Amino acid sequence: MRVAEMNREALEAFAADCKKQYEAFQAQGLKLDMSRGKPSPKQLDLTNGITNCLSEDDYKAENGLDCRNYGCLDGLPEAKAFFAPMLGVKPEDVIVCGNSSLNIMYWAMSLAMTNGVMGSKPWGKYDKVKVLCPVPGYDRHFAVSEFLGMELVNVPMKEDGPDMDIVEKLVAEDDTIKAIWCVPMYSNPGGVVYSDAVVKRFAALKPKAKDFRIFWDNAYCVHHLVDNPPVQANLLEEAKKAGNEDICYMFASTSKITHPGSGIAVIAASQNNLAYLKKALGFSTIGYDKMNQLRHLRFFGGKFENLVEHMKKHKALIAPKFQIVESTLEQELADLDIANWSNPQGGYFISFNQKGCAKRIVSLCKEAGVVLTGAGASFPHGVDPEDENIRISPTFPTEEELQKAMDVFVCAAKLAAAEQALAK
Amino acid sequence: MRVAEMNREALEAFAADCKKQYEAFQAQGLKLDMSRGKPSPKQLDLTNGITNCLSEDDYKAENGLDCRNYGCLDGLPEAKAFFAPMLGVKPEDVIVCGNSSLNIMYWAMSLAMTNGVMGSKPWGKYDKVKVLCPVPGYDRHFAVSEFLGMELVNVPMKEDGPDMDIVEKLVAEDDTIKAIWCVPMYSNPGGVVYSDAVVKRFAALKPKAKDFRIFWDNAYCVHHLVDNPPVQANLLEEAKKAGNEDICYMFASTSKITHPGSGIAVIAASQNNLAYLKKALGFSTIGYDKMNQLRHLRFFGGKFENLVEHMKKHKALIAPKFQIVESTLEQELADLDIANWSNPQGGYFISFNQKGCAKRIVSLCKEAGVVLTGAGASFPHGVDPEDENIRISPTFPTEEELQKAMDVFVCAAKLAAAEQALAK
């Protein structure tokens, strides 16, 4: 029965029932964490072979370069070739970096603030600099821009990506808008796959600010949960076709492919952008960890196809967890018609929406020992205007823990709905 | 005989003799590189065991943390404890970072530009920001500041460190001076060890700019070439005594201890500075490579004493190279009285000075197949006002190559002196 159709008596009975269930959970002294998109230990085990896949005398790149020593600023040539298909670009379009794509995104944006893009006026020299933030989105993206003093402007997400009518209008009118954050494949948290039409509209964007950049964080580009994953138009390729190739920086990493703490991040961009980025990079490092690049190459036998196969092992471990979340939500909440949620084809998150109840649900869960990402985290400044969105991260807990956590979650969602209805 | 004492006839004979020797070198088609301070392959071999000293199931920190996964922003506790004695500080004063100290120095200075220090007004918001550059000094330091838009101000080096009378006067008078670059132990390139008196004057510095920071790059703190190396007062400790502990950031790395491409960099500072730096760091990464921290801990058995012992193996390989340079200079140039040079007790460089001849010597060497660091590189903007300084980097070539390169070098130095004297 839909909660909206319950009369006062039915609502009170429903609330009492939820409350009783909830107190039973509280009594169990649970301690479960679904707060961040972390791979589970079993997923990490898939890559343990990387730790010692290099022998003591295996330190030469294909061109004879000694990977132990300084140098090779933009990455080993074979590492560029290995990662190029991940971003759908040519090897020469790639810089192979250190262990963190967040770090190079921060660097690229901080660099724009101090030195501009491709030699333009530094963004930090303008009175006001704005960045577009598709919401709900990735909290750490928004935090980077906020920390660097940029103004965050919400843009609503639709089912096929950010609302491009709004994006196009805003960037055409306002030259203080210098950037937009995008997670084009299995967006965090909504799981949205940007449609080819959206990718092409991004590629053809004509911002008033000539120093505008799309920060295209393709964090989940190989993180499929289905057998026949969607295929997406490539932004850099489309931008080249549109004569607009300098408009984007594209990022990816192996953080959720190998070991998050010791993976490899990459950046791809036009040759003009890369020339400037490499020059700038030369001031901030003599080179990234080439032994770790070699380690990744050896672990995957130097073939990107092997990485794609490796991702199927991750899928085998995490798809059942997404299934637990989705089926629990479906079984327990669908008939009540109080919430909606994503059923993503990939990525790390399920996005859950229940209007006016997000904070209450997160708080109820916490008091019953289940830690979720903070309500509002997916919005700039942590402010969700509808207080509706919760990001569910199912990968880290075991299936047993996850089921328990979801039992608490749906109980909290029901209780919050009942309280909300009774307060009307 | 001193060149200054030669009459015209003697000079012409000397010049002709140098010229003949030089042409003989040119005919040999040499190809030797002494341009950068890179460890030799034999030095890198000393650390080959680090590559596979971790087994597949060795990924837990002492506190049980899974080093393969995300997190642990400021480094493993045992890594902090391991590196603390290198910088002469307490474990809690340390952040353990990635593979490049240049990278964290760039980050710290860039951060000051975008966000200030400890929440002060961002340096980038001032019309003018200056940095003091003790000369001769490290080209990459100066380049970082120049790239970030700072004005570089030369400060002369003396035998016991930068001229502190000038430093104290400048920072007391001019609040646009926000920083100074220092290599306190075996400075690059002069090999100067700052005296305790200089360290204490730095510790007690009272700059007009309250957001002034000393960038203390202790890159060579364990890189001794003598059996009883100098012991230096500790800047942070002295600054604490002076009630001035927020004045410095201290940096070091294992780049010339283990493998330069895949080492560990560290930063140490006061608790106030660290609190701000950690907060800021949280926007730019989720954590550095903890598996590599573990790898370093295992390789050295978790004991700093073992790192100190390891440095003796480096010394055994490179001290003879410094000997080759110094004895060749002594034998071939001392009597002529045309130049002076350092005989450092540690570090990676010999600093050579011959007034008005540096560019000519570097150019002559290049034309005879010996690549040196560019003349002027040790000065801001590459401008050596006396055109006298050349940085000699003896570590990378073999002893045989180095002797050959030095034979060319002294020949070029003599020829340049002869040309200079004849042109008068």
Side-chain angles (χ1 to χ4, degrees), chain A residues 93 118 236 240 245-248 268-275:
Chain A
D93 299 330
M118 285 168 37
L236 185 59
K240 282 180 184 174
E245 66 199 64
D246 296 336
I247 200 158
C248 61
S270 71
Q271 289 299 312
N272 288 334
N273 277 314
L274 282 192

Side-chain angles (χ1 to χ4, degrees), chain B residues 63-202:
Chain B
N63 61 7
L65 184 100
D66 189 331
C67 296
R68 302 170 301 177
N69 220 328
Y70 287 114
C72 195
L73 183 65
D74 57 350
L76 300 177
E78 56 265 50
K80 292 185 190 182
F82 177 79
F83 285 112
M86 193 157 105
L87 283 160
V89 298
K90 293 182 192 146
E92 60 266 32
D93 299 331
V94 177
I95 302 176
V96 186
C97 305
N99 78 323
S100 163
S101 59
L102 182 65
N103 190 248
I104 53 173
M105 289 186 268
Y106 175 91
W107 166 71
M109 195 163 269
S110 165
L111 176 66
M113 290 300 280
T114 56
N115 292 71
V117 298
M118 286 168 37
S120 73
K121 178 172 164 180
W123 292 359
K125 297 284 184 195
Y126 291 93
D127 290 337
K128 185 177 281 198
V129 185
K130 295 179 194 160
V131 60
L132 299 183
C133 300
V135 290
Y138 180 34
D139 52 355
R140 289 186 187 271
H141 284 165
F142 305 157
V144 166
S145 295
E146 186 182 2
F147 181 67
L148 291 172
M150 300 172 77
E151 197 175 295
L152 313 183
V153 179
N154 292 15
V155 171
M157 283 289 285
K158 297 172 71 175
E159 283 192 7
D160 63 346
D163 188 322
M164 291 309 293
D165 291 341
I166 295 179
V167 170
E168 285 166 351
K169 186 169 182 294
L170 287 173
V171 303
E173 286 174 357
D174 185 350
D175 65 1
T176 70
I177 296 173
K178 300 291 188 194
I180 184 169
W181 286 108
C182 293
V183 181
M185 193 94 176
Y186 313 132
S187 71
N188 173 352
V192 172
V193 179
Y194 291 16
S195 69
D196 286 357
V198 165
V199 172
K200 287 174 188 176
R201 285 173 78 176
F202 268 117

Side-chain angles (χ1 to χ4, degrees), chain B residues 228-274:
Chain B
N228 293 299
V231 176
Q232 189 175 55
N234 186 275
L235 178 64
L236 186 59
E237 201 174 298
E238 295 299 328
K240 282 180 185 175
K241 285 185 206 164
N244 206 21
E245 66 199 65
D246 296 335
I247 200 158
C248 61
Y249 297 150
M250 311 205 304
F251 306 91
S253 83
T254 68
S255 288
K256 293 182 181 86
I257 298 172
T258 58
H259 289 157
S262 42
I264 303 275
V266 290
I267 181 169
S270 71
Q271 290 299 311
N272 288 333
N273 277 314
L274 282 192

Side-chain angles (χ1 to χ4, degrees), chain A residues 39 45 48 68-70 99 103 106 110 115 144 147 255-256 259-262 283-284 287-289 291 295, chain B residues 39 44-45 48 68-70 99 103 106 110 115 144 147 255-256 259-262 283-284 287-289 291 295:
Chain A
D45 288 346
N48 279 356
R68 301 170 302 177
N69 220 327
Y70 287 115
N99 78 323
N103 189 246
Y106 175 91
S110 165
N115 291 72
V144 166
F147 182 67
S255 288
K256 293 182 180 87
H259 289 157
S262 42
F283 293 101
S284 77
Y288 288 106
D289 186 343
M291 291 298 278
R295 211 173 275 125
Chain B
L44 301 179
D45 288 345
N48 280 356
R68 302 170 301 177
N69 220 328
Y70 287 114
N99 78 323
N103 190 248
Y106 175 91
S110 165
N115 292 71
V144 166
F147 181 67
S255 288
K256 293 182 181 86
H259 289 157
S262 42
F283 293 102
S284 77
Y288 289 107
D289 186 343
M291 291 299 278
R295 210 173 275 125

